[in-house]
Amino acid sequence: MLSAIREVEQKKLEELKDTIKIRHGILTYRFEGNRNISGQSLRAAVARLCPQYPQLAQRTSSGELIYRHPHVQYKSMDGMGVITALGEETGTLIEVFATLPEIFIGGNRIRIVEKKIEIQDALFGPSNEECEYVFTSPWFALNQENEKIYSMSDEEARRGLLNRILKANLLSMAKGVGYFISPQISATVNGQWSEAHSLFKGVRMRGIRCRFKARFRIPFLWGIGKSSSSGWGTTVPVAGGGRNVA
């Protein structure tokens, strides 16, 4: 595990002060029988199917987990399987899945009957303009420690806590793809939020559904926060905000 951590820490971070273009891939699948497959199951299937590409499951060549914001995310949206990728992993993702006819889940073969691949340069990073986003799946903002703080706090204190976590998630996302950004970045929960409890790996998690504003460009359908690699915390710009495409 330590070697995986060192692998990430040894990469020198580049300071990012303005919006840049970053390679972004979106692969959309429809499975036979319109099977609805969770992001977690899709991620596990890919790890088994493509052991020669451990980075697609956020692991090193020796199988150790890489502790960083994921470069590849797996989601279930509107009955479709969706895989998104940023940066260099986009090319690997396309190479592996462009001709993939099926996946295996729980020992069952599931054919892919429809496939769409989009590759584009997305806008990423600090922005002079304030951008508004909405979570399309619950945002797992709270860990075991700040869950207790959240539970004992009033609404104002909860909002302040969520704002700090939101900012930290954006900093973590930038660091995960190799960039350092100013910790003074603006990010705030916009309006009211609701709570959505979900089961993840057998554990009941408190998720947050809300809109938020940030002076930061996030690629379309990209997730932030805990377990974003399995589809949680997926964001899209609000109506009229476009897809942040360069």
Side-chain angles (χ1 to χ4, degrees):
M1 183 173 68
L2 289 177
S3 62
I5 295 174
R6 291 193 189 102
E7 179 179 321
V8 175
E9 289 180 341
Q10 286 174 357
K11 291 184 178 180
K12 185 177 180 180
L13 297 179
E14 179 181 344
E15 185 173 6
L16 185 60
K17 296 182 179 180
D18 300 298
T19 303
I20 61 169
K21 297 178 183 179
I22 190 169
R23 204 66 169 158
H24 182 217
I26 302 176
L27 284 76
T28 307
Y29 298 97
R30 184 168 64 84
F31 301 101
E32 63 179 339
N34 290 319
R35 292 280 297 271
N36 190 12
I37 298 172
S38 71
Q40 183 182 354
S41 295
L42 187 56
R43 182 174 182 264
V46 169
R48 291 191 297 269
L49 187 65
C50 307
Q52 71 275 33
Y53 296 105
Q55 66 271 32
L56 294 181
Q58 204 171 340
R59 295 185 180 276
T60 66
S61 56
S62 59
E64 296 174 323
L65 185 64
I66 299 176
Y67 290 89
R68 69 175 181 203
H69 184 82
H71 292 185
V72 183
Q73 300 182 349
Y74 304 84
K75 314 166 192 289
S76 175
M77 303 184 69
D78 300 323
M80 305 284 281
V82 179
I83 307 177
T84 58
L86 282 185
E88 60 186 17
E89 306 304 351
T90 299
T92 303
L93 190 66
I94 300 304
E95 177 184 345
V96 171
F97 292 101
T99 59
L100 187 70
E102 60 193 16
I103 63 172
F104 290 85
I105 294 181
N108 298 315
R109 180 177 70 91
I110 303 175
R111 287 194 311 113
I112 297 170
V113 297
E114 184 180 326
K115 184 186 304 181
K116 181 180 179 181
I117 301 176
E118 299 177 75
I119 306 175
Q120 56 203 6
D121 287 328
L123 298 177
F124 178 87
S127 170
N128 291 326
E129 300 178 1
E130 189 172 61
C131 308
E132 186 175 10
Y133 302 91
V134 61
F135 287 106
T136 63
S137 60
W139 169 40
F140 288 166
L142 305 171
N143 57 27
Q144 189 173 13
E145 180 179 348
N146 55 36
E147 168 75 37
K148 296 178 181 178
I149 299 173
Y150 180 92
S151 298
M152 295 185 297
S153 300
D154 60 20
E155 182 175 341
E156 182 179 357
R158 287 182 174 186
R159 182 180 297 277
L161 176 62
L162 292 177
N163 287 343
R164 292 192 296 274
I165 295 171
L166 179 59
K167 183 184 297 187
N169 284 175
L170 295 179
L171 293 171
S172 175
M173 174 174 60
K175 182 178 179 181
V177 293
Y179 296 100
F180 164 79
I181 60 174
S182 170
Q184 303 305 316
I185 185 173
S186 170
T188 56
V189 171
N190 186 29
Q192 296 300 309
W193 65 90
S194 62
E195 298 177 2
H197 289 87
S198 305
L199 280 178
F200 181 68
K201 295 184 178 180
V203 178
R204 191 167 184 263
M205 305 281 290
R206 190 202 307 255
I208 303 296
R209 287 190 176 274
C210 66
R211 293 187 176 196
F212 67 93
K213 292 183 177 181
R215 291 187 179 277
F216 198 97
R217 296 283 186 179
I218 304 173
F220 187 67
L221 290 181
W222 197 251
I224 63 173
K226 182 178 175 62
S227 300
S228 59
S229 64
S230 295
W232 303 100
T234 296
T235 70
V236 296
V238 297
R243 294 183 56 164
N244 283 345
V245 177

